[in-house]
Amino acid sequence: MFIFKTVKSIQNHLNKKQTRQKKIGFVPTMGALHEGHLSLLKQSLKENDLTVVSIFVNPTQFGDPEDLEKYPKPIESDIEKLEKYGCDLLFLPETKEVYPHNRVKKEINLRGLDKTMEGAHRPNHFAGVVGVVDRLLEIVQPDRLYMGQKDYQQFAIIKQFLRRTKSKTELIRIPIVREADGLAMSSRNIRLSDAGRKKAVIISQTLYQAREDSKTMTLTEVKQKALSHLKSNGMDVDYFEIADGDNLQSITTSEQSDTVIICTTVRIDGIRLLDNIIIKESH
Ligand code: AMP
C-alpha cells in the first residue's frame, strides 16, 4: 500500500496515465477503523481497479473541541488493517494540506437538509462535512465514493450535493455493520463504560421494534412508543425522528415518500451514539 501525506504526492501518483485509465473507488474516513469502515473498503475493492482510503480527522465538522481532542487516533493499527484488506493507497494529510491558506471557501447551500436531526444539535457540522468531502473529491477525483448508511443524514446531504454540482462521481451507500448484540459500530464506542456499553443495545432494539410496529401502527404512535421505551430505560435522547429519506423532513405518513428512515441519536456516558433503520425503500 502506498501512503501519501501531501496533495502533490498523491496527485502525482493518481495523474499518471496508467492510473487515470483505472476505475478509482474512494473511502473517506476519520480513522480508528472498524468492520464498518472495512466493509466500505471491501465493496470498493470489489468494484474498482484501485481504492483510495483517506484518514483525516476533519476539525471543521467538530463543534465541541473536547470531542475533537478525544477522537481516537490509532494510526499504526489502522495502517495494519488497511494493508491486510488490500487497500491500494492511503491518503493521510495534515490540516494544512486539506485547507491551504489560499483556498477560497465555497458557500454551499444545503437547502435545509443540514438543519434537521443531527444538524439541529450540531450547527455547522454538515457544512464542515460537505466542505471536506468536496475538497477530498477534488484531490482524488474518484469514479465512485463509498459512504455508510450509519451516517444516513450525511449520506443524503452528500447525495444532494453531488447531484447539484453535477459531479461525475457515483455515490454508493453501504449498510450498517453492527456488533453481535446489534450496536452500530462506531469509532466512539470504545469510549463507553462497561455499563454504558451494555445499555447501548437498547438503541438498535428500539429501532427494530419500531420497524415492526410501523407495519401496524401510525408513524406518530410508533415514534411515541419508541421514545417512551428509550426514556423509561434511562436514555438521554437527542432526537428520534421518522423522516423522508430524501428531504429528511419529519413525516407522519409514509405514503408520499419513496424512502422512509427512522434516525435517532442517544447520549450514553456523554457520548453521542447515532443509529437508524430504513423502513421503506422503493427502487
Ligand atoms: P467516519 O470515520 O466516522 O467518518 O466514517 C467513515 C465512513 O464509514 C462513513 O461513510 C461512515 O458512514 C462509515 N461507517 C462508520 N461506521 C459504520 C458502520 N458501523 N457501518 C457502515 N458504515 C460505517
Side-chain angles (χ1 to χ4, degrees):
M1 180 174 73
F2 290 108
I3 302 177
F4 295 110
K5 295 192 170 177
T6 66
V7 173
K8 208 170 162 191
S9 62
I10 192 171
Q11 284 189 327
N12 277 343
H13 184 86
L14 291 173
N15 287 335
K16 281 184 198 146
K17 202 166 158 233
Q18 65 270 36
T19 314
R20 272 292 153 219
Q21 286 163 345
K22 294 181 173 171
K23 284 274 175 234
I24 299 177
F26 178 43
V27 181
T29 82
M30 298 203 297
L33 302 177
H34 50 66
E35 288 298 322
H37 298 111
L38 296 170
S39 74
L40 274 66
L41 168 60
K42 277 190 237 168
Q43 192 64 24
S44 175
L45 288 169
K46 242 190 254 170
E47 294 179 344
N48 301 281
D49 304 313
L50 193 146
T51 292
V52 180
V53 170
S54 65
I55 296 181
F56 177 60
V57 183
N58 175 35
T60 68
Q61 69 189 68
F62 285 83
D64 174 2
E66 200 192 348
D67 193 27
L68 174 61
E69 177 68 23
K70 286 192 178 161
Y71 205 85
K73 297 181 190 69
I75 191 63
E76 295 303 324
S77 76
D78 281 352
I79 291 174
E80 258 172 50
K81 286 175 191 161
L82 293 172
E83 296 259 11
K84 183 172 152 221
Y85 279 80
C87 174
D88 299 292
L89 219 147
L90 168 62
F91 184 43
L92 194 60
E94 282 182 28
T95 305
K96 65 178 190 322
E97 288 291 318
V98 180
Y99 302 115
H101 290 308
N102 55 0
R103 185 174 152 81
V104 183
K105 212 175 144 230
K106 275 190 210 160
E107 275 310 318
I108 300 163
N109 180 357
L110 299 174
R111 302 208 171 161
L113 263 67
D114 57 329
K115 298 287 184 279
T116 62
M117 301 192 286
E118 276 303 288
H121 292 267
R122 303 183 72 184
N124 301 322
H125 168 67
F126 288 115
V129 169
V130 173
V132 77
V133 171
D134 182 37
R135 172 68 171 140
L136 292 170
L137 291 178
E138 173 185 282
I139 297 167
V140 178
Q141 296 184 30
D143 297 280
R144 298 192 183 93
L145 169 66
Y146 293 81
M147 303 195 90
Q149 182 194 320
K150 159 82 191 334
D151 301 279
Y152 186 87
Q153 188 169 9
Q154 166 174 289
F155 163 82
I157 287 173
I158 295 296
K159 184 172 155 192
Q160 194 207 221
F161 171 70
L162 295 179
R163 199 189 303 138
R164 286 196 34 227
T165 53
K166 299 193 170 50
S167 169
K168 290 199 176 64
T169 301
E170 182 190 356
L171 178 63
I172 316 279
R173 189 183 77 206
I174 302 294
I176 302 177
V177 179
R178 299 179 177 281
E179 301 287 355
D181 68 355
L183 175 65
M185 288 192 185
S186 162
S187 306
R188 291 187 173 90
N189 291 353
I190 50 172
R191 287 168 51 199
L192 290 168
S193 64
D194 288 349
R197 173 65 190 82
K198 284 201 186 102
K199 208 170 136 185
V201 66
I202 294 167
I203 306 168
S204 59
Q205 282 173 351
T206 307
L207 287 172
Y208 287 127
Q209 184 60 46
R211 182 176 60 185
E212 273 313 293
D213 290 342
S214 71
K215 293 173 186 163
T216 54
M217 294 178 183
T218 67
L219 297 186
T220 309
E221 288 165 346
V222 171
K223 180 172 167 176
Q224 272 166 2
K225 182 181 165 193
L227 266 172
S228 67
H229 182 68
L230 287 169
K231 287 182 182 157
S232 66
N233 279 285
M235 295 293 194
D236 180 3
V237 182
D238 269 6
Y239 62 87
F240 183 100
E241 291 293 348
I242 307 183
D244 178 284
D246 292 310
N247 66 27
L248 304 179
Q249 297 302 308
S250 191
I251 51 172
T252 51
T253 165
S254 60
E255 277 156 36
Q256 313 297 324
S257 302
D258 290 337
T259 306
V260 177
I261 179 120
I262 310 182
C263 294
T264 188
T265 289
V266 166
R267 286 174 199 255
I268 297 180
D269 300 333
I271 299 157
R272 301 183 71 250
L273 300 174
L274 283 69
D275 203 347
N276 65 70
I277 198 163
I278 294 171
I279 61 168
K280 177 184 171 189
E281 185 154 46
S282 352
H283 292 284

